[in-house]
Amino acid sequence: MIKIDYQTQRLSLRFFLLMLVLFGFQVLFGLLIAVQHVDPRLLSGILNFNVLRAEHTNLGILWILSGFIGTILFVGPLLSRRELAAPGLIRFLFWALLAVTLWNIATQSLAARGVAGWWLGQPWLQEGLEYLEAGRAADIVIFVGFAILAWVVLRTFPARREWNEIHWGLAIGVSALTFVWLFGVFFVERLDLQEYFRWYVVHYWVEGVWEVIHISLVGFLLVLMFKADVKAVGYAVFWGVAMVWLSGLIGNAHHYFWIGTPEFWQFWGSLFSALEPLPLVFCFWHIYLDAHQDRRPLENAPAFYFILGSVVLEQVGAGILGFTMTFALTNVWSHGTWVTPSHAHLALFGTFGMLGIASAYYAIPLLRGVKDFDQRLGRIAFWLVFAGMLGIAFAFAIGGTIQVFLYRSMGLSWFGGQVFPAMQFYKVLVPVFGLVFLAGAGLLVYDLLTLGLRARGAPQPRKTFRPADPGRWHRTLHGTEAGLWLAGMWIFGAFITLGLLSFNLDAVALGDPTIPYILAGLGYPGLLLITLLFVWRFLASLEARPAPETAAPGMDQAIDQAARA
């Protein structure tokens, strides 16, 4: 058996710690703007909503990127069985990412005052475009950082003849991470053309490149955790990556409906956007197969909890809710309303954020030499953030449905006080569920930051739930049942889609919201409740497996198997 003791791999720990700190601040900013929705006067003139929202959005991207980089640096040596190349460049990358984060936070006030630092036709200090606020100076540093990451990963990997599908997936991901960012490193004065290239970054970079990295990392983490067959996982990674790119390239056109682009994009964008959930279904199904093969016990519960949460919320947020609003006939109503952040929060945090947290729960104990730790805090934290995020999505979705009818369909006044009070109850629900999410976020940040200290001070045995009399809820989850749960999610998604389509009816335009309200009232609570119950059922079936006699991280065995494959 090969002893895994890579020194440079510990550099990934810095990125995980940065991820946790930025995650904490992003959640606090999010809770603050949720309260400002209830009372717009809060901190008016001190920390205005537009600045806080930009901080919340940008920190979301930055902490997720920190987690991605930390995970890639952690698994790179395991895939290659050698030290990371150029550790000095990795240290530079860390400080560059930290500098860009601080610069972006500091310059939001410049954007609020319209200070961009124009020179040679480019805004060097602050760009101000949504999701791409950073100026040219920060953009260039980010580009150099991504180039360093791609170079280090490719240099760390073995010769190409030895690559498997996971090598190829990560290689494509880190290379495209650098290339696609180029579309965000220039500014065009024409708004429609600028929006065209901006969505290249937002869609291809986040919804395309990040998906490729996500599928590859999930696959390899499953190899490590369940000793899954590398060839079978590689097969899933190959088809997942292929379908992401084939559906996503033209599917990007769902961003082009209302920015002055040709009308034919409405048909092609709607068609290919509808195909984008296919790789997500495939990814979801393969995690089921890998987790249930050979009925292996669940050794690191928090890590797998968050991996499962990542894949399921990817299915629900990016797949189902993304599907409901990317047709031209539904997007015309949902675009720019509260319906959109319901999709965005589940998709961005659920898919990518939860993967970073899962990786941290797997990697940090190993990097700190903790062979066993109390997993109860991680489990509680998962359920708090998972339920809190589902609640936030519910409040956004139902409040957004009311907003669509009153604001878009009836044309009532927002500032005149007609729309605002109608949404007030759901505006209050967002910070209420936000507090639940904050409790879970604070717990997991504390757990991961202090894990090494607490384990050294007072070692805790792993607590594996094993029901004395396994009932129906804890029995083995077979593929047929899992398929029925998945079908149930899509049925409720169909109610949501029909609800948005019903805004095109003459009766609704004349002032009768009965049909969209009933369909939304069935679809959104049903979808989010069945999601919560399915994850509970999935994890209960795993927790009922016999516990191992001795605790073991399980990494060496998995890497040996990967090498043999």
Side-chain angles (χ1 to χ4, degrees):
M1 184 182 298
I2 296 177
K3 178 67 174 176
I4 304 297
D5 187 26
Y6 295 119
Q7 294 299 318
T8 55
Q9 196 181 26
R10 289 180 172 81
L11 292 172
S12 65
L13 187 60
R14 297 186 180 185
F15 290 91
F16 284 128
L17 298 180
L18 178 62
M19 176 195 78
L20 294 173
V21 173
L22 297 182
F23 173 53
F25 278 105
Q26 194 237 359
V27 174
L28 290 173
F29 280 135
L31 186 61
L32 191 55
I33 62 177
V35 177
Q36 285 182 329
H37 264 295
V38 179
D39 183 4
R41 299 168 298 178
L42 179 69
L43 297 179
S44 178
I46 302 173
L47 284 174
N48 290 331
F49 175 85
N50 59 334
V51 174
L52 284 174
R53 181 186 179 277
E55 300 282 15
H56 177 67
T57 304
N58 280 269
L59 283 175
I61 294 172
L62 289 167
W63 80 259
I64 289 173
L65 275 177
S66 300
F68 266 21
I69 294 172
T71 307
I72 292 169
L73 296 179
F74 174 76
V75 305
L78 302 182
L79 274 169
S80 311
R81 307 182 68 76
R82 59 183 177 182
E83 299 279 1
L84 280 169
L89 288 178
I90 295 298
R91 295 185 181 93
F92 172 81
L93 176 61
F94 172 80
W95 291 111
L97 180 60
L98 182 60
V100 167
T101 301
L102 296 175
W103 175 261
N104 203 47
I105 293 173
T107 55
Q108 292 298 338
S109 59
L110 298 180
R113 297 197 300 270
V115 178
W118 290 95
W119 181 57
L120 297 178
Q122 296 294 305
W124 287 89
L125 300 180
Q126 175 60 236
E127 184 172 346
L129 291 172
E130 188 179 24
Y131 307 122
L132 300 178
E133 279 88 1
R136 289 294 77 77
D139 285 345
I140 292 173
V141 174
I142 293 171
F143 175 77
V144 171
F146 289 150
I148 288 174
L149 177 65
W151 188 83
V152 168
V153 169
L154 295 177
R155 280 290 306 275
T156 302
F157 281 177
R160 267 191 290 275
R161 63 180 178 274
E162 301 177 28
W163 287 12
N164 57 35
E165 290 83 358
I166 300 176
H167 288 100
W168 279 105
L170 286 177
I172 292 171
V174 296
S175 301
L177 194 72
T178 307
F179 173 74
V180 177
W181 181 253
L182 286 173
F183 292 104
V185 188
F186 57 86
F187 184 87
V188 197
E189 291 187 3
R190 275 186 52 183
L191 182 60
D192 59 344
L193 191 59
Q194 178 62 49
E195 284 291 285
Y196 188 88
F197 287 116
R198 182 172 78 93
W199 284 110
Y200 265 53
V201 180
V202 177
H203 183 98
Y204 291 143
W205 194 61
V206 175
E207 300 178 40
V209 173
W210 286 23
E211 287 281 2
V212 170
I213 297 174
H214 174 267
I215 291 172
S216 304
L217 293 178
V218 166
F220 193 64
L221 287 172
L222 291 176
V223 170
L224 296 176
M225 295 184 66
F226 292 103
K227 291 75 173 177
D229 182 69
V230 176
K231 292 183 178 180
V233 171
Y235 177 82
V237 168
F238 169 80
W239 283 109
V241 170
M243 288 191 290
V244 162
W245 282 99
L246 289 174
S247 63
L249 288 174
I250 301 179
N252 185 39
H254 69 249
H255 297 296
Y256 296 160
F257 295 158
W258 323 119
I259 61 171
T261 49
E263 188 175 354
F264 67 79
W265 281 122
Q266 293 191 11
F267 171 77
W268 290 107
S270 296
L271 176 63
F272 279 86
S273 291
L275 299 177
E276 288 188 50
L278 289 178
L280 311 184
V281 174
F282 192 83
C283 182
F284 164 82
W285 198 252
H286 209 275
I287 194 176
Y288 163 78
L289 295 176
D290 293 331
H292 283 81
Q293 75 155 13
D294 300 330
R295 293 182 52 80
R296 294 180 183 275
L298 188 61
E299 295 180 353
N300 188 327
F304 183 76
Y305 275 34
F306 282 99
I307 288 178
L308 179 64
S310 170
V311 175
V312 170
L313 289 189
E314 176 188 46
Q315 177 66 213
V316 174
I320 296 174
L321 294 183
F323 175 86
T324 65
M325 65 181 63
T326 51
F327 297 105
L329 291 176
T330 58
N331 187 262
V332 67
W333 302 107
S334 64
H335 191 85
T337 69
W338 264 31
V339 174
T340 302
S342 174
H343 147 75
H345 278 75
L346 288 179
L348 189 66
F349 169 76
T351 305
F352 305 119
M354 278 198 166
L355 175 63
I357 297 169
S359 302
Y361 263 111
Y362 187 84
I364 288 178
L366 295 170
L367 296 175
R368 286 184 164 172
V370 178
K371 293 186 177 181
D372 201 2
F373 65 99
D374 187 356
Q375 300 180 7
R376 289 172 294 183
L377 289 181
R379 292 174 177 172
I380 296 171
F382 167 79
W383 285 114
L384 287 172
V385 299
F386 189 72
M389 183 53 68
L390 289 177
I392 291 170
F394 167 79
F396 275 131
I398 300 297
T401 303
I402 296 171
Q403 180 188 10
V404 170
F405 175 70
L406 295 178
Y407 190 49
R408 288 280 169 82
S409 184
M410 301 305 296
L412 299 183
S413 171
W414 179 275
F415 293 103
Q418 295 169 304
V419 179
F420 188 88
M423 296 175 60
Q424 186 69 3
F425 176 73
Y426 299 99
K427 287 177 177 288
V428 173
L429 279 186
V430 174
V432 169
F433 285 114
L435 287 173
V436 176
F437 187 90
L438 176 66
L443 191 60
L444 74 87
V445 169
Y446 165 79
D447 190 29
L448 286 169
L449 288 179
T450 64
L451 189 147
L453 297 174
R454 288 184 289 111
R456 283 194 292 270
Q460 297 287 339
R462 179 186 291 111
K463 303 293 184 183
T464 300
F465 176 72
R466 194 187 308 177
D469 182 21
R472 293 177 60 83
W473 200 252
H474 297 92
R475 70 187 188 280
T476 301
L477 179 68
H478 295 291
T480 301
E481 184 190 350
L484 290 174
W485 283 102
L486 183 62
M489 295 178 191
W490 278 96
I491 289 171
F492 285 113
F495 284 123
I496 297 169
T497 306
L498 292 173
L500 287 172
L501 285 171
S502 69
F503 283 106
N504 295 289
L505 297 175
D506 292 337
V508 179
L510 292 173
D512 184 3
T514 303
I515 295 177
Y517 280 10
I518 289 177
L519 290 172
L522 290 173
Y524 288 114
L527 173 63
L528 301 177
L529 183 60
I530 197 174
T531 300
L532 183 67
L533 292 175
F534 169 65
V535 170
W536 190 0
R537 170 73 179 95
F538 196 114
L539 293 175
S541 72
L542 293 186
E543 294 281 20
R545 296 175 182 176
E549 294 182 1
T550 58
M555 180 162 62
D556 295 349
Q557 299 93 326
I559 298 306
D560 285 339
Q561 182 200 29
R564 289 193 299 271

